Amino acid sequence: MSERKRVRKGVFPAAGLGTRFLPATKAMPKEMLPIVDKPVIQYAVEEAIASGIDDILIVTGRGKHAIEDHFDHSFELETILGERGQERLLEMVRQVAGLARVAYTRQKKALGLGHAVLCARDLVGDEPFAVFLADDLIVGEVPAIQQLIDVYNETGATVVAVQRVPRDQVSAYGVVAVKSSDGRVHEVEDLVEKPKPEKAPSDLAVIGRYVLVPEIFPILEETAPGAKGEIQLTDALRQLARNDRVIAVEFEGTRFDTGNKLGFLEATVELALAREDLGPDFAAWLRERCSAIAGGRN
Ligand code: UTP
């Protein structure tokens, strides 16, 4: 057997319009919305780095300069912090710029997630790669993408992250039909985009982490626009699953859908509570607030 290539590159599609967060996302990319004090996309970049990914490839669109600036040096800010002797903050902003090698490519029109992934083709080349939808913030002991990479390393197959969701919520997701399962690892027979609950083949919803093989690119090129007139990654994966092995991994960890307002608020509360510097004071305030709500005084 020829040696399997290592997953070294991570693609971050970030060219969506973020309509669910208007007006905040009118002039600011939704990937830059902070959870406590860190932009959503930085959590995913840190997850990639913790999983051995060296190259971060971000697919941006119009009005996304803030992402590029965020992962670059800010000489003015660094100079001022240095002059003021604010060493801890200086260290923090330098650390963000030094996190990883970051390259950008542009999706000129928001033609869908599948199209955004296709835009990264030249940067990825002929090797397996990870895809991160930064909206899905996942916290846990082992980074979610590492759990997928482990399965890729064993099998060489395409791997998608899945999570069980209540039946009445399946229509918000891509859902997998399973051939066979071994614990939390499932062989995928088919994928269905946003099925009606009664038509859903399972309750295993695809979450925004993937390890893809380069064979996905020619399929994406041939994929016609589907739902919402967009080129859907799910449609290309579906095509791939006809001839190739696709595996779904029920990752361990807690996932927040920060692309919708409720998920964003939940992530903010959970991550604030987990912070050593903020957690205790925030918890005290929250307890009081909760007992007021319970007493009907909200
Ligand atoms: P979403 O379905 O969350 O769409 O995209 P969106 O436009 O970002 O947000 P809403 O629904 O309008 O609020 C899933 C992921 O695919 C990327 C998004 O940036 C997000 O990471 N995407 C989507 C692109 O990069 N290009 C596209 O054309 C569409």
Side-chain angles (χ1 to χ4, degrees):
M1 199 178 71
S2 66
E3 198 166 317
R4 197 155 283 144
K5 287 184 181 159
R6 189 167 79 79
V7 179
R8 303 180 303 145
K9 298 181 178 178
V11 173
F12 292 69
L17 299 175
T19 53
R20 283 169 293 169
F21 262 99
L22 282 169
T25 48
K26 187 169 171 240
M28 184 177 68
K30 71 170 175 178
E31 294 78 12
M32 289 301 295
L33 292 172
I35 301 294
V36 187
D37 54 9
K38 199 190 281 186
V40 162
I41 194 167
Q42 191 179 331
Y43 289 94
V45 167
E46 288 175 355
E47 179 187 329
I49 293 163
S51 308
I53 289 171
D54 315 311
D55 280 305
I56 305 295
L57 315 174
I58 304 183
V59 183
T60 63
R62 256 180 289 282
K64 301 275 183 170
H65 286 298
I67 299 177
E68 296 175 33
D69 291 343
H70 182 70
F71 290 109
D72 198 354
H73 281 286
S74 169
F75 291 108
E76 192 183 351
L77 181 62
E78 288 176 28
T79 307
I80 294 170
L81 292 173
E83 282 168 6
R84 289 186 186 161
Q86 291 178 297
E87 294 301 327
R88 210 181 55 78
L89 288 178
L90 178 60
E91 178 56 31
M92 185 195 288
V93 298
R94 279 197 179 140
Q95 187 249 345
V96 177
L99 269 178
R101 218 168 25 226
V102 190
Y104 299 90
T105 188
R106 201 76 179 211
Q107 185 189 25
K108 291 187 185 139
K109 227 172 164 192
L111 294 176
L113 172 60
H115 181 258
V117 171
L118 187 57
C119 289
R121 183 179 194 166
D122 288 345
L123 290 173
V124 170
D126 188 27
E127 55 183 284
F129 62 103
V131 174
F132 297 77
L133 305 191
D135 277 5
D136 281 326
L137 196 166
I138 305 174
V139 290
E141 244 166 67
V142 181
I145 203 69
Q146 180 69 65
Q147 299 176 44
L148 270 62
I149 291 173
D150 289 345
V151 173
Y152 169 80
N153 287 341
E154 272 172 36
T155 60
T158 295
V159 189
V160 301
V162 290
Q163 188 181 43
R164 290 194 188 276
V165 296
R167 277 273 165 178
D168 60 351
Q169 289 174 25
V170 287
S171 55
Y173 298 90
V175 174
V176 296
V178 166
K179 254 191 279 198
S180 62
S181 301
D182 180 6
R184 302 173 75 96
V185 178
H186 312 274
E187 296 285 336
V188 173
E189 169 136 68
D190 197 4
L191 297 99
V192 189
E193 185 65 22
K194 302 190 171 49
K196 293 211 171 85
E198 62 278 14
K199 295 244 168 89
S202 75
D203 62 349
L204 291 167
V206 178
I207 303 301
R209 299 288 183 278
Y210 310 77
V211 173
L212 302 179
V213 293
E215 287 74 16
I216 196 77
F217 290 126
I219 298 177
L220 279 170
E221 281 211 322
E222 298 296 316
T223 302
K228 290 201 285 176
E230 296 183 339
I231 296 173
Q232 301 290 345
L233 181 58
T234 307
D235 289 343
L237 284 169
R238 204 170 177 195
Q239 180 63 29
L240 186 81
R242 298 214 171 106
N243 301 311
D244 272 5
R245 201 168 164 198
V246 176
I247 297 177
V249 172
E250 261 180 90
F251 59 91
E252 301 200 17
T254 308
R255 168 247 177 188
F256 300 97
D257 177 6
T258 67
N260 85 54
K261 287 169 208 168
L262 189 59
F264 182 87
L265 291 170
E266 289 167 0
T268 302
V269 171
E270 285 293 350
L271 271 67
L273 286 172
R275 285 267 296 250
E276 271 176 27
D277 56 342
L278 276 173
D281 287 348
F282 183 52
W285 177 82
L286 204 55
R287 254 182 240 112
E288 243 175 61
R289 196 69 193 86
C290 288
S291 66
I293 294 170
R297 287 174 280 124
N298 62 337

